[in-house]
Amino acid sequence: MEMDAQNPPVGAAADWTISQDWTAYGAADHAMWDRLFERQAAMLEGRVVPEFLQGLDILRMDRPGIPEFAALNERLRAATGWEVIAVPGLVPDRVFFDHLANRRFPAGRFIRTPEQEDYLQEPDIFHDVFGHVPLLANPVFADYMQAYGRGGLRADGMGAIAKLARLYWYTVEFGLIQTDAGLRLYGAGIVSSNAESHFALEDPSPNRIGFDLRRIMRTRYRIDDFQQSYFVIDSFEQLLEQTTQTDFAPLYADLVALPDYDTDTIAPEDRVLTRGTQAYARQKEEEPL
C-alpha cells in the first residue's frame, strides 16, 4: 500500500519525524550496536573509501553505544550543515526527498535483534546511521545527497521516481568507487553488511561496471539478496557533476522507450571492470525451496 504523505502515523509530526527517545534504549540495544560497529569497523579497514573512515572520526562514532542524534548533529552540522532526524520507518517518497533537499537525513530509531544480526529487510538505526551518516560529513558527497533530494522532488512531478530510485540504489546504497589504492566500498547497504562487504569487493560472481547515469536508470536491482551488478564511480566529484549537470527531463523521456536491463546484464556499451561469473545467483536459483 502506498503511504500518504499527508497522513503521518500516530505520534509523528506532519513531516513524519519523531523523537529518537534515546533514553529508551536498553543495555542489550547498546550492546548490539557496539557488536555490529566493532565487527564492521575492523572489516572495513582497507575495503572502504577513506572518506568514510574520516567521517567516523569527525563524528566520533567510535564511542560506545547507539549515538544520540542531538550530539551527533552538533558535529555533523559543523562539518556540512546536515542533520539526522528520527522517523518511524520507511516514509513516503516525497517526504524523503524533501528532507534530503533540506539536508536532513531520515533514520529509523529501532535496532535489530540478535536473530536479525546478519540480515533484516527494513533498515534499522545501524544501517541508517553507521552506513549513511559518515559520508554526509564529506562536503562533496553531502552536496550529492542534497542534489538527489532536489532531483527526487522534480522526478515526483514527472512520474519518474522508479527510474531515479535506481540511481540511489546503485550509488548511495550499493556503490563502489575506484581509488588510487584500488576498488573500495562506499554504499551504505554494503558497508553496513559484513557478508556483502566481502561479496561486492572480492567475490568473482557479480559484474562490476563503470558508472553511467542512463545505464543505471535502465537497470533493475535486487531487494532480496546480494546484487548481481555493481556500478563503479571514479570519484564523488564525478557523481556530483553528473547529477547536477544533467537535464533529467529529456533523459526520463528517452527512458520511457528503452527496455530495462536485467540485474546480471552486460550491455554492449558497458565499461566492464569485472565480468562476473554469476555463480552465486545461479546457485541460489538451484537451491530447493
Side-chain angles (χ1 to χ4, degrees), residues 100-266:
L100 294 188
N102 289 282
R103 290 189 176 246
R104 299 186 297 261
F105 187 79
R109 67 181 179 184
F110 81 96
I111 189 158
R112 68 194 71 183
T113 65
E115 294 75 26
Q116 299 168 314
E117 185 165 333
D118 290 315
Y119 177 77
L120 74 167
Q121 189 165 6
E122 184 177 349
D124 72 339
I125 193 171
F126 185 76
H127 167 87
D128 284 340
V129 174
F130 178 87
H132 284 282
V133 175
L135 282 181
L136 291 176
N138 175 267
V140 180
F141 193 81
D143 285 350
Y144 169 67
M145 288 289 282
Q146 182 176 33
Y148 183 88
R150 290 171 173 169
L153 292 173
R154 291 192 294 271
D156 187 37
M158 300 177 190
I161 285 179
K163 298 295 185 185
L164 188 66
R166 294 171 174 177
L167 177 62
Y168 190 91
W169 189 267
Y170 279 119
T171 59
V172 178
E173 291 290 358
F174 292 97
L176 301 179
I177 185 169
Q178 189 69 58
T179 73
D180 292 341
L183 209 58
R184 294 292 184 266
L185 315 170
Y186 76 92
I190 310 177
V191 302
S192 61
S193 166
N194 191 272
E196 190 150 8
S197 293
H198 290 282
F199 180 82
L201 206 58
E202 298 151 13
D203 201 285
S205 185
N207 302 319
R208 299 175 183 89
I209 302 167
F211 175 86
D212 180 88
L213 203 58
R214 179 184 297 260
R215 166 70 161 96
I216 285 175
M217 291 200 291
R218 291 180 62 186
T219 307
R220 301 187 186 99
Y221 55 80
R222 300 290 300 265
I223 62 170
D224 59 340
D225 211 331
F226 297 155
Q227 302 307 301
Q228 291 177 261
S229 295
Y230 296 93
F231 289 89
V232 182
I233 62 172
D234 294 325
S235 66
F236 291 141
E237 287 79 7
Q238 176 202 30
L239 191 56
L240 177 62
E241 181 180 353
Q242 288 277 321
T243 306
T244 56
Q245 301 302 314
T246 297
D247 184 351
F248 279 71
L251 180 55
Y252 293 145
D254 289 346
L255 291 172
V256 170
L258 295 173
D260 283 343
Y261 287 120
D262 286 330
T263 57
D264 62 347
T265 298
I266 295 286

Side-chain angles (χ1 to χ4, degrees), residues 18-35:
I18 57 175
S19 168
Q20 185 192 9
D21 196 14
W22 186 84
T23 57
Y25 295 119
D29 298 322
H30 290 298
M32 172 59 73
W33 173 279
D34 291 343
R35 187 159 62 250

Side-chain angles (χ1 to χ4, degrees), residues 224 283-289:
D224 59 340
Q283 178 185 353
K284 293 299 288 282
E285 289 172 357
E286 293 169 1
E287 289 179 356
L289 298 177

